[in-house]
Amino acid sequence: MKNIPLLIGAFLFSIFFYQQDIGLNLSLFSLLTIIILAIYNKDLFKKKSTIIFSIVFIITAITIFFFRSILTIVAYVVAFLTLIGNVSKQGSSVYVNWLNGLYTSIAAFFHRNFNTTEKDEKVTPKQKTDYLHLIKIIGIPLITVIIFIALYKNGNPMFSELISKIDFGFINIQWLLFSVLGYYLLSNISKPVIVDPATTYDLNNGNSLSRERDFIVEKIKKENQLGFILIALLNVLIVIFLITDITYLISTNDLRASAISNQVHNGINTLIASILIAIIIILYFFRGDLNFYKGNKNLKTVTYVWIVLNLLLIINIVIKDCQYIYYFGFTYKRIGVLIYLLLTIIGLLTTLIKVKQIKNFWYLFRVNTLTAFTILIISSTINWDNYITHYNLNYAQSMDFNYLLDLSDNNTFLLKNYADKNNLTAERKSLIEKKYKAYLIELESKKWQEIQYDNFKLNKD
Amino acid sequence: MNISSVIFKSTVLATCIFWIVIMSQGFQNYMIPLVFLSMIPISICCAITIFLTIVPFFWVRRGELVDEFDGRNRIIFKKYFPFYAIVSFSLCLYGIVESIFAISFFVSAFFTTMQSWVWLAKDNEKQNN
């Protein structure tokens, strides 16, 4: 009896996804997932974090319904794994949630062979399934209903017509195998499991560093001196770099796309190397006892200065990227640079907090993965293709028209609207018309499982 | 450790999954003798995979956990199986994405390796008891 929700879920899984594209079905599947999780883990759905991750999961599903893109699909998968991981173990970090979520989704069925503890076995001895009763409660009503349907069919032509409309033609062996796959997935997630060493380690390790009982002061003093000299020198170097870079930025009049592109990309490469080395060096020196050494004030000061200078370096790149966007419009790469810079700023600030409040490496990892997850979810709720097209058509000083055409269909209605209201060249108009018509055909051929928000726009028109 | 019985069971399981997936796309009479013939290469694949990728976990860790009476395999299973499952899944998924025609092979490979872990761990558990 306890498997009935899973059987119904597997049936619905096949109806939603068998030989279907992505659309409304992902929203329905997310509801199904949450219902299955809530049925088998009632208590956990009273916890705030589980409710929040469920809402996030539904939001990502809705975004796919509104504008499908690779980013929204990735966000959906990550949100799914996070929710499952959260249900498997409350209070664990986001990256452990991902690990537990992935493991649960693919292999919980096999893991459960070794999941029962001796205590569980003693308290709840496994009851034997009464298969005869199961056959009776399914078989007898089913046979009786079929007999009565046959009787009523002969007695009422309208009822007969209704029955004949029910088409089970979609059920075949492949469909059944697909249902088995659905059952396997839902059975896996119904009772989430954990990756034991990783989860226990994560739960047992807090965010703060603890002081060792007796550390050798002489050794720490030498390390402090080395750290101070190294980071002070790097400060001098980064100051010189910033001065020359800002001077170049102010004095140059070269606004060719290739020139700005080179500057931004070189800047990003420098930044990636610089930030990574900065964080590694900081993590190395502040890995343990040096945090508790009384004479570390100067080292801490030069470290803060270095972090602030790296932030200035980032601002410098942001200015270049914004300049690039102002003149040549948005592209995914240029937006990606901005998001990377945002992540870097957060990474540097958390490193600063780590040094100031004597946190450990796991603190950095936890906070930054959570930040990356949040940014992924927020960025997936934005229809980038539409915004890129809108900005480039209306505000950019110059733009690549073919780039807009090559974007996904999320900007098709906007392009069509723009073409109708503006005087474009015949070639551009025909290209937009071609894209629009192809999209209309695609939308019209969608089955109910695949429909998306644009289908409703179609009906309005 | 009775590896031969695990290899035999894995071969049967892999053959069943492999041919069910193929036959779901269309059944032909000539497939029946092929089912039995295919058991030879499948058994070789199973034996190699089990010997090279699963059994070493039990052999290597066996000596270290002598003091743990009947929970020895449970410890090995819980510690290594999750990562093995994730790697196995990733490789099989990659294989399916690269060549959808090989779906039956990769699906049977994934489920058979998973079940082989369970059989090996349970087999050892019985022997310890």
Side-chain angles (χ1 to χ4, degrees):
Chain A
M1 290 295 277
K2 63 181 179 181
N3 285 340
I4 286 174
L6 295 179
L7 289 169
I8 295 168
F11 179 72
L12 290 173
F13 179 84
S14 275
I15 289 176
F16 294 159
F17 294 111
Y18 180 64
Q19 291 185 340
Q20 308 295 339
D21 201 358
I22 289 166
L24 179 68
N25 47 12
L26 277 184
S27 299
L28 297 172
F29 177 69
S30 62
L31 287 176
L32 177 67
T33 304
I34 290 168
I35 290 167
I36 293 282
L37 282 172
I39 289 171
Y40 290 94
N41 309 276
K42 275 177 198 152
D43 293 340
L44 289 173
F45 272 81
K46 289 171 190 159
K47 308 264 180 183
K48 217 186 253 178
S49 65
T50 311
I51 294 167
I52 290 169
F53 283 128
S54 302
I55 293 168
V56 166
F57 182 43
I58 289 175
I59 288 171
T60 55
I62 293 169
T63 54
I64 291 177
F65 175 71
F66 277 93
F67 43 89
R68 193 180 74 179
S69 67
I70 293 170
L71 182 69
T72 53
I73 294 167
V74 169
Y76 181 85
V77 174
V78 175
F80 173 78
L81 296 180
T82 314
L83 173 64
I84 304 296
N86 178 265
V87 175
S88 64
K89 197 73 188 177
Q90 290 274 318
S92 49
S93 310
V94 175
Y95 60 91
V96 175
N97 283 347
W98 295 337
L99 188 68
N100 286 335
L102 179 63
Y103 177 53
T104 296
S105 307
I106 62 175
F109 176 81
F110 297 99
H111 179 101
R112 280 190 215 115
N113 284 287
F114 292 90
N115 211 22
T116 49
T117 59
E118 280 180 30
K119 193 182 163 192
D120 289 338
E121 280 163 12
K122 277 175 191 167
V123 175
T124 51
K126 206 179 173 184
Q127 286 180 338
K128 274 190 175 178
T129 313
D130 188 352
Y131 289 106
L132 190 69
H133 179 67
L134 205 66
I135 291 165
K136 272 183 193 170
I137 61 161
I138 296 170
I140 294 172
L142 195 71
I143 293 165
T144 316
V145 167
I146 290 168
I147 292 168
F148 272 85
I149 286 172
L151 287 172
Y152 291 151
K153 256 178 88 174
N154 293 328
N156 181 344
M158 223 171 135
F159 182 76
S160 173
E161 198 185 323
L162 187 77
I163 293 296
S164 62
K165 275 183 183 170
I166 299 171
D167 181 19
F168 286 107
F170 60 91
I171 297 177
N172 57 36
I173 296 174
Q174 277 191 350
W175 189 91
L176 285 173
L177 286 180
F178 203 79
S179 299
V180 172
L181 184 72
Y183 182 85
Y184 177 72
L185 176 66
L186 294 174
S187 156
N188 281 348
I189 65 169
S190 64
K191 291 167 209 151
V193 294
I194 58 166
V195 178
D196 202 16
T199 311
T200 314
Y201 186 81
D202 179 62
L203 291 172
N204 292 340
N205 274 288
N207 286 329
S208 298
L209 265 176
S210 52
R211 184 182 173 161
E212 276 181 31
R213 276 184 189 170
D214 39 18
F215 58 82
I216 307 158
V217 179
E218 199 55 39
K219 197 182 156 194
I220 297 297
K221 199 177 172 183
K222 280 178 185 168
E223 207 170 287
N224 184 48
Q225 279 175 342
L226 173 69
F228 177 76
I229 293 166
L230 181 68
I231 297 176
L233 276 173
L234 286 171
N235 272 332
V236 174
L237 200 66
I238 203 170
V239 166
I240 296 167
F241 177 82
L242 274 170
I243 290 168
T244 52
D245 205 40
I246 291 167
T247 313
Y248 178 75
L249 198 69
I250 295 165
S251 61
T252 187
N253 290 319
D254 192 357
L255 292 177
R256 280 176 297 122
S258 58
I260 301 181
S261 170
N262 272 339
Q263 276 184 39
V264 172
H265 293 140
N266 289 341
I268 283 294
N269 292 336
T270 312
L271 195 69
I272 290 169
S274 163
I275 303 291
L276 279 178
I277 296 168
I279 291 173
I280 290 167
I281 290 173
I282 291 168
L283 280 179
Y284 175 75
F285 283 111
F286 290 95
R287 69 188 183 282
D289 297 335
L290 194 52
N291 287 283
F292 306 101
Y293 176 58
K294 280 180 185 170
N296 69 2
K297 273 186 185 172
N298 288 337
L299 176 64
K300 277 196 171 181
T301 309
V302 285
T303 306
Y304 298 149
V305 172
W306 197 27
I307 290 171
V308 172
L309 288 172
N310 271 298
L311 287 171
L312 284 176
L313 188 68
I314 293 171
I315 292 165
N316 187 25
I317 307 283
V318 169
I319 293 167
K320 281 180 192 171
D321 198 40
C322 288
Q323 210 177 13
Y324 194 14
I325 290 165
Y326 174 74
Y327 287 111
F328 303 104
F330 272 120
T331 62
Y332 268 103
K333 270 190 182 175
R334 288 162 211 169
I335 293 168
V337 168
L338 287 179
I339 288 173
Y340 170 75
L341 293 174
L342 178 66
L343 284 169
T344 317
I345 289 171
I346 294 164
L348 280 171
L349 290 176
T350 49
T351 311
L352 195 137
I353 293 168
K354 180 235 170 305
V355 175
K356 200 167 191 305
Q357 297 180 358
I358 314 181
K359 304 280 185 189
N360 57 15
F361 165 77
W362 296 109
Y363 162 80
L364 267 188
F365 203 51
R366 276 176 195 138
V367 174
N368 289 325
T369 45
L370 186 63
T371 309
F373 174 69
T374 312
I375 288 173
L376 173 70
I377 299 300
I378 292 170
S379 58
S380 75
T381 59
I382 299 165
N383 187 351
W384 291 109
D385 289 344
N386 211 43
Y387 276 101
I388 289 169
T389 311
H390 178 74
Y391 180 86
N392 290 5
L393 289 175
N394 297 301
Y395 304 109
Q397 302 292 308
S398 66
M399 52 113 186
D400 183 356
F401 186 77
N402 289 330
Y403 179 79
L404 298 182
L405 278 175
D406 289 339
L407 290 174
S408 79
D409 284 323
N410 291 329
N411 70 352
T412 308
F413 286 117
L414 187 66
L415 280 173
K416 169 73 177 159
N417 198 25
Y418 184 79
D420 289 343
K421 287 178 182 169
N422 292 281
N423 285 326
L424 297 179
T425 59
E427 191 200 350
R428 285 189 171 182
K429 269 201 170 180
S430 93
L431 285 169
I432 290 174
E433 199 63 32
K434 197 178 162 191
K435 182 172 177 166
Y436 179 69
K437 279 184 179 164
Y439 188 44
L440 286 190
I441 291 167
E442 193 195 314
L443 284 177
E444 279 164 359
S445 66
K446 281 183 188 291
K447 293 175 191 162
W448 71 266
Q449 294 98 325
E450 302 166 334
I451 58 166
Q452 54 190 90
Y453 178 65
D454 282 351
N455 281 82
F456 296 100
K457 281 186 189 170
L458 205 67
N459 294 338
K460 273 185 197 171
D461 295 341
Chain B
M1 196 189 295
N2 193 359
I3 298 172
S4 55
S5 90
V6 174
I7 291 171
F8 175 73
K9 284 190 276 188
S10 302
T11 305
V12 174
L13 178 68
T15 311
C16 288
I17 297 172
F18 183 76
W19 282 103
I20 285 171
V21 175
I22 288 176
M23 285 174 183
S24 71
Q25 291 158 4
F27 175 76
Q28 303 291 335
N29 284 335
Y30 69 81
M31 286 177 175
I32 295 168
L34 288 178
V35 173
F36 295 100
L37 269 176
S38 67
M39 285 183 91
I40 299 165
I42 288 174
S43 66
I44 295 167
C45 285
C46 284
I48 292 171
T49 311
I50 290 169
F51 263 114
L52 292 183
T53 70
I54 305 175
V55 171
F57 287 103
F58 291 95
W59 280 347
V60 170
R61 293 283 291 156
R62 206 180 191 179
E64 295 172 36
L65 297 166
V66 178
D67 298 336
E68 310 279 345
F69 50 103
D70 58 337
R72 190 162 67 179
N73 294 310
R74 192 175 292 218
I75 293 168
I76 295 169
F77 184 89
K78 282 194 171 183
K79 195 164 187 182
Y80 299 108
F81 176 72
F83 301 103
Y84 184 94
I86 290 169
V87 171
S88 172
F89 176 78
S90 308
L91 291 175
C92 292
L93 187 68
Y94 177 74
I96 291 170
V97 170
E98 282 296 302
S99 168
I100 191 73
F101 300 106
I103 187 167
S104 52
F105 174 81
F106 288 110
V107 168
S108 63
F110 174 71
F111 286 107
T112 309
T113 49
M114 296 298 101
Q115 188 57 43
S116 300
W117 260 93
V118 175
W119 279 326
L120 274 171
K122 281 196 168 172
D123 184 56
N124 286 352
E125 199 114 298
K126 274 181 213 163
Q127 282 183 12
N128 290 333
N129 289 338

